[in-house]
Amino acid sequence: MNYSLSPLGDQAIVITVSDEINEQAQVNVRILSLLLEEQQPEWMVEYIPAFTTVTVFYRPDLLSRKGMIPYEQAKENVEELLTLIKTEEVSAVRTVEIPVCYGGDFGPDLEFVADHNGITPEEVIDIHQSGNYSVYMIGFAPGFPFIGGMSEKIAAPRRDSPRLEIPERTVGIAGKQTGVYPIETPGGWQLIGRTPKRLFTPEEEVPSLLRAGDKIIFKQISETEYDNWEEPRHDEDH
Amino acid sequence: MMKIIKDGLLTLVQDLGRTGYQKYGVIASGSMDTFAHRIGNLLVGNEEKEAVIEVTLLGPVIEFHEDAVLSICGGDLSPAIDNEEITMWKPILVKKGAKLTFGKPRTGCRAYIAIAGGLDIPVVMGSRSTYMRAKIGGHNGRALQTEDVIHFKESFNLDTGARSFVEKDWTVARSLIPEYSHRPTISLIEGPQFSWFDEKSLQTLFSTSFKVSSQSDRMGFRMEGESLSLKEPRELISEAVSFGSIQVPNDGNPIILLADRQTTGGYPKIGQVASIDLPILCQMKPGEQLRFKQITLEEAQKAWLDQEHSIQLLKRSISLKKKEESS
């Protein structure tokens, strides 16, 4: 795996695996995340994976022994750690289905997205359901997925002035991206529907429904189905 | 237990942050002035990371319904017990019925109340810190309000004679107490995208003042000053940010990311506040001005290690003191 190391301030080191967003970069970020998860080096505080980088936060006081500054030692330790990578492949990806009740009060901007693209709201729903989606990264808000793979036929600009409160679990479109707001947040996305499924579950060991690499299927449900939705008690994927 | 008689501007339960969950997009939170937080806990015999109360600018009124040992560190917001001023950075024995109040802010803007034994607050995702937007952690996921009651994990029966409180006769070495300034100079390390900025912007960064704007909070300080710009338009692929990252959006006004920052960001980062200076920065109020001075990563790390060393020494002398007192 090709990578470069650089500092982020005096307590973090950035592992960069690519200078553009692509499939291999994503796979490599996942490999690094799995490795760090598995190894849990004692000097590591935590790590944050992104599109092309994994940032490792460290404790300088545990890296001050060899007469080197902590960053130099962190660098050495990361290099050593990365020699443990045996493969450049990752195990099967998960597919997560997200039920969505489109339009109405849940999706006040569905009409706008349709008008903007010269199609009907029904067509927007069909196209949104038929994308080949995958999660690039989790960030911005707890459990918030950056999802790639949406058709440009339903792309829509952000609102000129952001809404102050977008209810949790709202599905939106911004530019060529689609996403789901896990918690109530201000935001400028065009809102097309809402899912009954929780993306952020603070009571769980893994508080995020989604993780980088997941494939996603959006599936339309009716208002009745939305109202009667029950969270499965045990998620088999965990 | 203690009861909040009046809530103050923003009174929060915070520990040293919710680490380990940023990979799920969960923000770190935690105390803004981690130095005052840590010292405050050590003074009352707690672990450094124990949850404390962070008081902002206009303090609360708190009534103690049992005896407690506390310390108040950080910004000087004129703390008093039963109308008598108390000394900061020092353990204080408080009797049941005593009332803690705050007054005029003298230096800094955040004070930390540490209670011996710690606050009885449930742990959510490994931390007691309040994360207001997600409504989790701290006391019911929100800032403390009038009438709230906070329980302590340990109880004490203290002898303070006829008075409602007694200050211990020892304190932290003066040299360890930070000087919170209205016009501080803050040490900066190059940020990951430092070289993306044009020469004039880099000069501006280190030769002019920046003002903490009124749109500043625990998430970040929006700074006002001369505009900073890139050599040429360039898009950053979103990546991790950290406590003290200085990102520059297209409008050219830098934003310093603080305790409640998002986990990742897509704006270029011109600099990074040295960890050692974060407490000084976090004590600034909107309207105050700062200057940046450049230091190397090596200098920043050495300064940090020196400070850690002093904290370890303090820890040792406090545990000696405790042994003396109990023998």
Side-chain angles (χ1 to χ4, degrees), chain A residues 97-143:
Chain A
E97 191 177 279
I98 298 182
V100 183
C101 182
Y102 290 97
D105 287 346
F106 291 159
D109 303 324
L110 181 63
E111 295 275 349
F112 173 86
V113 175
D115 288 351
H116 181 79
N117 290 288
I119 53 178
T120 66
E122 288 70 32
E123 284 171 311
V124 173
I125 297 171
D126 284 345
I127 296 170
H128 191 257
Q129 282 188 94
S130 57
N132 181 16
Y133 299 110
S134 60
V135 177
Y136 285 161
M137 66 176 258
I138 303 291
F140 168 66

Side-chain angles (χ1 to χ4, degrees), chain A residues 8-11 19 37 46-51 53 55 57-58 64 69-71 137-138 140-143 186 200 202 207, chain B residues 19-26 125 131 133 192 237-242 262 264 272 274-275 297-298 300-301 304-305:
Chain A
L8 170 65
D10 51 20
Q11 305 198 7
D19 49 19
E37 215 50 65
E46 63 180 320
Y47 68 91
I48 302 180
F51 293 109
T53 56
T55 301
F57 293 80
Y58 58 83
S64 62
I69 63 163
Y71 173 69
M137 66 176 258
I138 303 291
F140 168 66
F200 176 55
Chain B
T19 49
Y21 291 86
Q22 289 200 77
K23 58 176 177 254
Y24 303 122
V26 178
M125 288 186 280
Y131 176 6
R133 190 164 283 292
I237 301 172
S238 278
E239 58 181 28
V241 296
S242 76
Q262 295 168 6
T264 55
Q272 178 81 29
S275 297
L297 174 58
E298 184 169 358
Q301 295 202 312
W304 176 261
L305 292 174

Side-chain angles (χ1 to χ4, degrees), chain B residues 27-43:
Chain B
I27 66 168
S29 319
S31 285
M32 287 278 274
D33 180 346
T34 56
F35 182 81
H37 174 122
R38 295 170 68 191
I39 302 298
N41 271 325
L42 291 177
L43 285 170

Side-chain angles (χ1 to χ4, degrees), chain B residues 3-53:
Chain B
K3 191 173 171 187
I4 311 297
I5 304 295
K6 202 169 158 254
D7 48 14
L9 183 64
L10 181 64
T11 308
L12 294 168
V13 174
Q14 294 293 347
D15 61 14
L16 290 178
R18 190 162 275 115
T19 49
Y21 291 86
Q22 289 200 77
K23 58 176 177 254
Y24 303 122
V26 178
I27 66 168
S29 319
S31 285
M32 287 278 274
D33 180 346
T34 56
F35 182 81
H37 174 122
R38 295 170 68 191
I39 302 298
N41 271 325
L42 291 177
L43 285 170
V44 297
N46 289 348
E47 297 246 358
E48 292 170 33
K49 59 173 195 237
E50 196 61 58
V52 305
I53 306 275

